C-alpha cells in the first residue's frame, strides 16, 4: 500500500514491501524513491517492539555512515541503487525495517518486512509393526517421522495413510536456543487394512517411501476376514469363482513388515 502526506518541507511516501531471505545467505533491501535526482542521504533502521528504531546502515553525501559492530561486517550500502545488502542472515534478522531517502530536503520513507526461511532436513521415517495376537485383534504399525534445522515452525504431513485408521500418540516441536531453527517429531499408530506405501513431509522436505502392512510369506488381499483375526496366513486367488477358494491357508502365523 502507499500513503502520502505533506508536513512542512517534508514529503513522506510510505510503501510496504515483503522480501524473503534464506538462513545463512544474503538479501538486498531496496529503498523506494520517486525521483531520479541523486539522494543526499539514505539510511535503514529496524523497528523493534513495534516502536523503537535501531540504525542499521546508510550513507550521507556519498559516504558510508558508521554502523554498530553487529552490522559492520554484514552490511554494504549501494549509493547509486539506494540499496543495502545484508549477509549471513539469521532468524533474529526477521522483522520490519524502514528506509529513509532524502532528496532536496524531502524524505521518502518505505517499509520492508523481512521474512527468513530455512529448509528442513530430509525427514527420517521409521516403522515398528506388530503381528495379530500381540495384545490386539489386528495388525498395526507405529510410525515415526522427524526433521531438523528448519524455519519457520512446521508440522508433519503423512501421504498414503487412511486418516480414519491413524492415531497420533506423540507430537513435539522444539526450537534451538541459538539458531532458532526447529526440530519436528511425530509418532502415530496406523491400523492395517492393506499393504500401503507411505511417506512423510516437513516443510518442503519429503522422506523416502516405505511399505507397511505387507505379508512376508505369500500375499493377502483380504484383511477383514475372520481368518486375519485368527492370525492365519493365506495365499489369495482373486479370480476363483468360489469365494471359499479365493484364499487358501498356507501357514498358521501371519507376519507383517
Amino acid at each position: 500500500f502507499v500513503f502520502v502526506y505533506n508536513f512542512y518541507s517534508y514529503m513522506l511516501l510510505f510503501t510496504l514491501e515483503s522480501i524473503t531471505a534464506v538462513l545463512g545467505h544474503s538479501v538486498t533491501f531496496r529503498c523506494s524513491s520517486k525521483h531520479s535526482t541523486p539522494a543526499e542521504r539514505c539510511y535503514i533502521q529496524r523497528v523493534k517492539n513495534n516502536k523503537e528504531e535501531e540504525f542499521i546502515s546508510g550513507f550521507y553525501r556519498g559516504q558510508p555512515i558508521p554502523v554498530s559492530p553487529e552490522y559492520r561486517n554484514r552490511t554494504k550500502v549501494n549509493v547509486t541503487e539506494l540499496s543495502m545488502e545484508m549477509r549471513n542472515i539469521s532468524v533474529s534478522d526477521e522483522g520490519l525495517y524502514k528506509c529513509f531517502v532524502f532528496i532536496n530536503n524531502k524524505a521518502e520513507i518505505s517499509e520492508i518486512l523481512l521474512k527468513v526461511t530455512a529448509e528442513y532436513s530430509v525427514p527420517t521415517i521409521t516403522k515398528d509393526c506388530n503381528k495379530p495376537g500381540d495384545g490386539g485383534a489386528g495388525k498395526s504399525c507405529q510410525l515415526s517421522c522427524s526433521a531438523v534445522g528448519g524455519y519457520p515452525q512446521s508440522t508433519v504431513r503423512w501421504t498414503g495413510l487412511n486418516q480414519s485408521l491413524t492415531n497420533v500418540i506423540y507430537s513435539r516441536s522444539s526450537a534451538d536456543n541459538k539458531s532458532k531453527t526447529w526440530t519436528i517429531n511425530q509418532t502415530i499408530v496406523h491400523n492395517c487394512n492393506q499393504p500401503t506405501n507411505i511417506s512423510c513431509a516437513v516443510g518442503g522436505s519429503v522422506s523416502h517411501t516405505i511399505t507397511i502392512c505387507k505379508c512376508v510369506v505369500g500375499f493377502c488381499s483380504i484383511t477383514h476376514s475372520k481368518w486375519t483375526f485368527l492370525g492365519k496366513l493365506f495365499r489369495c486367488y482373486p479370480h476363483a469363482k468360489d469365494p471359499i477358494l479365493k484364499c487358501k491357508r498356507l501357514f498358521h502365523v501371519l507376519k507383517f513388515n
Side-chain angles (χ1 to χ4, degrees):
F1 64 88
V2 177
F3 176 66
V4 180
Y5 70 91
N6 291 314
F7 182 74
Y8 297 109
S9 61
Y10 288 89
M11 187 276 292
L12 302 181
L13 170 66
F14 286 94
T15 64
L16 177 62
E17 177 188 5
S18 293
I19 59 176
T20 301
V22 178
L23 183 70
H25 290 233
S26 300
V27 68
T28 299
F29 295 79
R30 301 186 185 280
C31 301
S32 298
S33 175
K34 298 298 183 181
H35 299 83
S36 58
T37 305
E40 181 183 39
R41 57 189 166 118
C42 172
Y43 58 87
I44 293 177
Q45 296 187 158
R46 181 176 180 181
V47 181
K48 289 190 172 183
N49 302 321
N50 296 322
K51 55 180 181 180
E52 298 178 10
E53 296 186 3
E54 174 190 20
F55 174 76
I56 304 298
S57 187
F59 68 86
Y60 177 68
R61 293 183 177 178
Q63 298 300 314
I65 301 174
V67 301
S68 65
E70 180 183 354
Y71 299 103
R72 185 172 300 156
N73 298 319
R74 296 181 55 217
T75 59
K76 182 180 180 180
V77 173
N78 187 311
V79 176
T80 304
E81 296 182 356
L82 299 179
S83 65
M84 179 193 74
E85 179 189 27
M86 183 180 287
R87 299 179 290 273
N88 193 22
I89 293 295
S90 65
V91 172
S92 61
D93 291 320
E94 190 172 66
L96 182 64
Y97 295 76
K98 282 186 178 181
C99 185
F100 297 81
V101 178
F102 292 85
I103 299 176
N104 297 328
N105 203 32
K106 294 180 179 180
E108 298 178 76
I109 303 175
S110 54
E111 293 185 336
I112 303 172
L113 181 63
L114 174 64
K115 297 181 179 179
V116 177
T117 65
E119 194 69 26
Y120 283 87
S121 65
V122 175
T124 300
I125 184 171
T126 60
K127 64 180 179 179
D128 182 13
C129 299
N130 64 12
K131 63 179 183 293
D134 290 349
K139 167 78 180 73
S140 66
C141 289
Q142 181 171 293
L143 310 169
S144 295
C145 180
S146 63
V148 301
Y151 188 87
Q153 183 180 5
S154 188
T155 57
V156 175
R157 305 184 308 279
W158 297 91
T159 301
L161 292 179
N162 184 337
Q163 296 301 316
S164 65
L165 300 174
T166 302
N167 294 309
V168 177
I169 61 174
Y170 176 80
S171 187
R172 184 172 185 270
S173 301
S174 59
D176 183 85
N177 291 331
K178 184 177 180 180
S179 69
K180 307 302 181 184
T181 57
W182 288 87
T183 296
I184 310 297
N185 296 280
Q186 188 176 86
T187 300
I188 64 174
V189 171
H190 178 73
N191 297 313
C192 295
N193 67 340
Q194 62 183 7
T196 305
N197 294 323
I198 68 164
S199 63
C200 68
V202 180
S205 300
V206 183
S207 73
H208 69 281
T209 300
I210 63 173
T211 303
I212 61 172
C213 305
K214 63 181 180 180
C215 298
V216 173
V217 181
F219 66 91
C220 293
S221 62
I222 298 178
T223 56
H224 291 296
S225 70
K226 62 181 181 181
W227 302 109
T228 297
F229 297 115
L230 291 176
K232 309 301 181 181
L233 180 62
F234 299 87
R235 185 181 297 280
C236 301
Y237 301 90
H239 301 295
K241 293 183 179 180
D242 187 343
I244 299 178
L245 296 178
K246 283 188 176 183
C247 288
K248 181 180 179 182
R249 177 177 161 186
L250 296 178
F251 196 64
H252 70 283
V253 176
L254 185 61
K255 183 179 181 182
F256 287 85
N257 283 336

